[in-house]
Amino acid sequence: MTYQHRWIDGSPIDLPVGKVVCVGRNYAEHAHELGNEVPEAPIFFIKPASSLVAMAPSFSIPTDQGEVHHEIEMALLVGERLKNADATSAQWGMAGFGVGLDLTLRDLQDALKKQGHPWERAKAFDGACPMSSFIDARGVSWKQPIEISLEVNGELRQRGNTTQMLFPAFQLVAQMSHVFTLEPGDIVLTGTPSGVAALHPDDQLLAKFGNALTVKSEVFAAP
Ligand code: ZN
């Protein structure tokens, strides 16, 4: 089925489906677990609209290209055009919040990195961005830290909160908007906490955004 942004009640969101702008290494512990330096400036990359699929009730992963890692990330749905924005206008420009999976063909990414090649084949393939539904941005308070988490087969794999981000979410959006104009319907992924690991067919997932959103999902092998 073609991907469409949805509110948590399942109704479609009246925004087009655009690109997904992502950041590498926005949590220090995740940078360390992959043996990477903590960056001084954020590392940006893009997943195309064709990488988006609904996270629930299930999604599929490639099984013939080495390990596919889960990276659970806070997802921000852009509601207004942002170019050279500051953090305040970036926050006002958001339509909704949810969680996305930045699926990564880790073996392939490692091989591409070693050769000094771009990562696209490892990060931007069809289905590489399973996405939850979205909570209306007006209903979310940022005064307290917001936690995201991922359980796989009942075991907690990843948990992180907004205070652990090296570049806070709206500052990150503002910085992105100086490189890529963010259009209504684009999504920003804000980086993954530590605990990334391989997914396997039949895995049962539980992804959470604070207390506001819980997504149950199952992993299938891509046909
Ligand atoms: Zn990521």
Side-chain angles (χ1 to χ4, degrees), residues 22-25 30 45 47 71-73 102 104 123 189 191-192:
C22 309
V23 58
R25 305 176 205 167
H30 170 60
F45 61 96
K47 287 174 181 268
E71 296 191 355
I72 190 73
E73 310 200 3
D102 170 16
T104 304
K123 289 265 196 192
L189 289 184
T192 198

Side-chain angles (χ1 to χ4, degrees), residues 3 17-20 47-53 124-129:
Y3 173 81
V17 177
K19 62 187 176 292
V20 184
K47 287 174 181 268
S50 50
S51 69
L52 282 164
V53 290
F125 57 92
D126 285 0
C129 197

